Amino acid sequence: MLSNIAFYGALETGLIYGLVAFGIYLSFRVLDFPDLTVDGSFPLGAAVAAMLIIAGWNPWLATGAAILAGMAAGTVTALLNVKLKILNLLASILTMIALYSINLRIMGRPNVALLMEDTVLTPWYNLGLEYHQVSVLLFTLVIGATLFLLWRFMKSEIGLAMRATGANARMARAQGIATGGMIILGVAVSNGLVGLAGALFAQSQGAADVTMGVGVIVIGLASLIGGEAVITPTSVFRALLACVVGAIIYRLAIAFALNADVLGLKAQDLNLITAVLVTLAIVLPGARVSLMNKFKRRKA
């Protein structure tokens, strides 16, 4: 069984990765744009927020700047694809590689501590809640507001144009939609959400590190695919909700696996657990459909 602190810690991290899953949903599902920039924009958001907080900025303004930095990174990736005609996957890899050096430039060193600085969480500690409950409450509010705003955006005229671009770019162009602009906007918003996640992660963990983005794309995909296996994405709202549910389930599964003594797993097995969970999330929905079809044929 998980301890109280481990449970709330898994919830906290799951909510943050829910924001990453939102971003990956926009790029992978809506735009059909495989984007690996997130492995660089996640620590970029953390680095920008951390350095601005240390410089004396208000934590919320620093977090806003992290969102803008993430959007800038996404815009570069999209421009490489739309304007220079570089394959979307390769364009995102190029930006991700460049961001490693940029993040080092921003921080001036591999990691920056925030333990003695005020963060977005600091005022919330006066509510009288347990220390480990504060971040869960704040991040629940943040992700709830983000989900609502994304849902409204995807139902707007621009959101519908973006969805049309991902579904059939040729048909969208025939309808007068500037598909290049939609790709730039979508990838920018996607990485802005990831930058927000990185900023919140750094403030909740008390540090920003240049390597903290390694594997974020896999975690986001695991959250997205796992959530869709639990909640069928028949609408935009259900798809966004699936991102959050999948991220929380993923983190809880990781916590259970690492805390279950009978399995004998340790912290260094995290990537192995992630690979197994992603594989299961991909395979199980298809296996479930196959079993249901076999059952129907036998019943017939």
Side-chain angles (χ1 to χ4, degrees):
M1 292 294 292
L2 286 178
S3 67
N4 212 26
I5 294 177
F7 175 74
Y8 279 104
L11 282 181
E12 172 191 332
T13 312
L15 290 168
I16 292 174
Y17 284 128
L19 295 169
V20 176
F22 283 160
I24 291 176
Y25 167 75
L26 276 179
S27 57
F28 276 77
R29 288 287 188 257
V30 176
L31 287 172
D32 193 24
F33 190 106
D35 184 22
L36 301 185
T37 312
V38 296
D39 274 15
S41 55
F42 187 83
L44 174 65
V48 170
M51 295 307 295
L52 291 178
I53 288 172
I54 290 174
W57 280 45
N58 179 281
W60 284 110
L61 290 178
T63 302
I67 296 173
L68 294 177
M71 293 183 71
T75 300
V76 170
T77 296
L79 287 173
L80 289 175
N81 172 248
V82 173
K83 299 298 183 182
L84 300 184
K85 306 302 179 184
I86 298 175
L87 182 69
N88 46 25
L89 186 62
L90 179 57
S92 66
I93 291 174
L94 291 173
T95 307
M96 177 187 67
I97 292 172
L99 283 174
Y100 184 85
S101 296
I102 291 172
N103 292 335
L104 278 174
R105 279 280 187 175
I106 291 172
M107 293 192 292
R109 50 191 183 277
N111 51 70
V112 173
L114 291 173
L115 294 176
M116 303 303 294
E117 305 290 339
D118 287 342
T119 66
V120 294
L121 294 165
T122 303
W124 293 73
Y125 291 127
N126 299 322
L127 295 178
L129 297 174
E130 294 289 338
Y131 183 84
H132 48 272
Q133 294 175 337
V134 171
S135 54
V136 173
L137 173 61
L138 175 59
F139 295 159
T140 298
L141 295 175
V142 170
I143 206 163
T146 306
L147 190 154
F148 176 77
L149 291 173
L150 267 180
W151 174 64
R152 294 297 299 172
F153 172 73
M154 297 307 296
K155 290 173 70 68
S156 68
E157 186 175 341
I158 295 177
L160 291 172
M162 190 178 295
R163 291 159 66 184
T165 298
N168 191 325
R170 184 176 297 178
M171 181 64 72
R173 282 192 294 271
Q175 297 299 319
I177 296 172
T179 55
M182 290 298 104
I183 291 173
I184 293 171
L185 176 61
V187 178
V189 172
S190 169
N191 283 276
L193 290 168
V194 177
L196 169 61
L200 295 179
F201 188 80
Q203 293 176 70
S204 67
Q205 300 299 311
D209 192 281
V210 73
T211 63
M212 66 193 301
V214 176
V216 166
I217 182 67
V218 177
I219 296 172
L221 282 172
S223 303
L224 177 62
I225 296 170
E228 291 177 346
V230 176
I231 300 176
T232 306
T234 53
S235 66
V236 173
F237 182 81
R238 287 175 65 89
L240 293 172
L241 185 61
C243 292
V244 181
V245 172
I248 292 174
I249 290 175
Y250 167 79
R251 289 307 307 181
L252 287 174
I254 292 289
F256 274 114
L258 293 178
N259 285 273
D261 295 333
V262 67
L263 296 177
L265 296 173
K266 298 181 179 179
Q268 59 262 36
D269 300 317
L270 180 60
N271 287 343
L272 172 62
I273 300 170
T274 299
V276 172
L277 289 176
V278 174
T279 303
L280 290 175
I282 295 173
V283 172
L284 287 179
R288 183 177 62 182
V289 172
S290 178
L291 287 173
M292 289 178 65
N293 290 335
K294 286 182 180 179
F295 178 76
K296 289 178 180 179
R297 286 198 297 268
R298 289 181 181 179
K299 194 174 181 180

